[in-house]
Amino acid sequence: MTRENHLHTWRLPAEWEPQWGVQLTWPHAETDWAPMLSEITATYEELAREIAKRENLLVVKQGDGSFVTSCGVTKEPSPCYISCPTNDTWARDHGFISLIDDMGGCRLIDFCFNGWGEKFPANLDNAINRRLYDEGKIEGEYVNCLDFVLEGGSIESDGKGTVFTTTGCLLAPHRNQPMTKAQIEDRLLNDLHAKRILWIDHGQLTGDDTDGHIDTLVRICPDDTLLYIGCDDPDDEQYEELRLMEEQLKTFRTLDGQPYRLVKLPMPRPIFDGNDRLPATYANFLIVNGAVLCPTYNQPDLDSEALRLIGEVFPDREIVGIDCRSIIKQHGSLHCCTMQLPKVKE
């Protein structure tokens, strides 16, 4: 569906546009990270250092701010910090979704996060945005959309008015029922000031708690490029769904009517926690100013190939691999842990 709206200039920026900073919500002993807190904290410290080299770092942490020195972040000014109760750490899904306009304005849209369809507690995480805004940690116009469930990991934007999402996630139970697909699409068009929504109907990673977040499957990149995960092993349980997703991506057209450039990322070899396969993916990378931070899984051949392909799509950025074997144990990766905040004109 396409809608032209000439009454405003608001838009959902692409992730590769200039950023003010990135939000992290820090792990603590009252989260599911408790059995491996030292391991995940070390990963977050590495992630924090890489972000802070390039832009501002906003940390939401239950407790004091001693992490600033412990993780070795030396960038001035020091990372912005707020002490706030949290259920978990997935900033991509409980953080503000930000719109910008041509005049330098920023809208901070506060959608409801309900633990991916009421699978997990989320009441504390769902209150973080209001706390950040009320304490002046983030600047912009606060927009209350708490009557609608929408996670940041479930949408991708090209910055030009096209928003991509998946039917598997947005139509999943316990999110926005009894709304129909058409009603949900209309809400996305209005709240995100989009011109059209492209729905992906296939693709679901085994072990994924999110019902098919797009940021684990397909990423929108410069020059109308879609980076997506594929599977070449017909015996893999994910093969058919990812094949059907690939076929659908081939049918998509840009607003100018041209096919997208498709670049297929490899699938990591299966990683298990006991008998449970974890949803490892190379698509869950984080774009920051001047770099792309990419998940790796101690699979040197596949890690190298994924980083090479991402580097071809982002030739003007440094490609940095971060070992995500800790994060994947809780079914996420780099993009899931973070939420970027756009840089606006002064």
Side-chain angles (χ1 to χ4, degrees), residues 61-75:
K61 185 173 186 292
Q62 183 163 295
D64 62 40
S66 59
F67 77 94
V68 174
T69 54
S70 68
C71 70
V73 174
T74 57
K75 178 181 179 291

Side-chain angles (χ1 to χ4, degrees), residues 18-272:
Q19 298 176 17
W20 173 87
V22 169
Q23 176 185 332
L24 288 176
T25 303
W26 210 257
H28 57 83
E30 296 175 31
T31 64
D32 290 341
W33 296 113
M36 48 174 292
L37 191 57
S38 296
E39 182 183 359
I40 189 61
T41 298
T43 303
Y44 265 66
E45 288 173 348
E46 181 182 2
L47 180 55
R49 286 192 294 269
E50 292 295 340
I51 294 168
K53 288 177 185 177
R54 300 168 174 90
E55 55 193 86
N56 292 295
L57 176 63
L58 170 63
V59 174
V60 177
K61 185 173 186 292
Q62 183 163 295
D64 62 40
S66 59
F67 77 94
V68 174
T69 54
S70 68
C71 70
V73 174
T74 57
K75 178 181 179 291
E76 294 295 339
S78 296
C80 180
Y81 161 77
I82 183 172
S83 177
C84 184
T86 64
N87 294 112
D88 216 321
T89 55
W90 307 109
R92 179 64 48 178
D93 296 336
H94 61 244
F96 280 117
I97 294 175
S98 303
L99 304 185
I100 61 174
D101 70 5
D102 297 335
M103 303 301 292
C106 179
R107 276 188 174 173
L108 305 168
I109 306 185
D110 193 5
F111 288 104
C112 179
F113 174 58
N114 73 345
W116 309 295
E118 301 175 346
K119 296 184 183 74
F120 304 99
N123 59 308
L124 297 177
D125 292 343
N126 201 44
I128 291 172
N129 287 341
R130 188 74 221 194
R131 179 78 170 270
L132 288 170
Y133 182 78
D134 288 345
E135 295 198 11
K137 302 297 185 181
I138 301 180
E139 294 185 2
E141 174 193 353
Y142 179 88
V143 180
N144 187 333
C145 287
L146 292 170
D147 62 331
F148 187 75
V149 175
L150 186 67
E151 300 120 28
S154 69
I155 56 173
E156 282 273 305
S157 171
D158 66 356
K160 298 182 290 187
T162 298
V163 171
F164 296 74
T165 192
T166 67
T167 53
C169 178
L170 266 66
L171 303 185
H174 306 292
R175 279 182 167 88
N176 289 302
Q177 285 73 21
M179 294 178 71
T180 65
K181 179 181 177 181
Q183 290 171 326
I184 290 172
E185 178 166 321
D186 193 60
R187 184 66 188 260
L188 293 174
L189 289 166
N190 280 287
D191 289 353
L192 301 178
H193 290 248
K195 295 178 181 178
R196 63 174 184 162
I197 309 298
L198 289 183
W199 294 84
I200 296 172
D201 299 315
H202 304 280
Q204 171 76 30
L205 298 182
T206 303
D208 176 20
D209 294 323
T210 70
D211 302 304
H213 270 187
I214 192 170
D215 68 351
T216 66
L217 301 168
V218 182
R219 301 298 304 281
I220 316 311
C221 302
D223 303 316
D224 294 323
T225 299
L226 303 182
L227 261 174
Y228 67 101
I229 57 168
C231 180
D232 296 324
D233 180 5
D235 294 327
D236 191 298
E237 60 190 318
Q238 302 173 140
Y239 173 82
E240 183 62 13
E241 271 293 294
L242 294 178
R243 185 192 68 80
L244 290 171
M245 182 184 77
E246 181 180 48
E247 292 303 312
Q248 186 177 20
L249 295 179
K250 292 176 181 178
T251 71
F252 285 171
R253 295 296 180 266
T254 68
L255 285 169
D256 296 329
Q258 300 300 312
Y260 285 92
R261 174 193 175 203
L262 301 182
V263 178
K264 183 166 73 171
L265 291 167
M267 172 67 65
R269 282 182 283 275
I271 301 173
F272 290 89

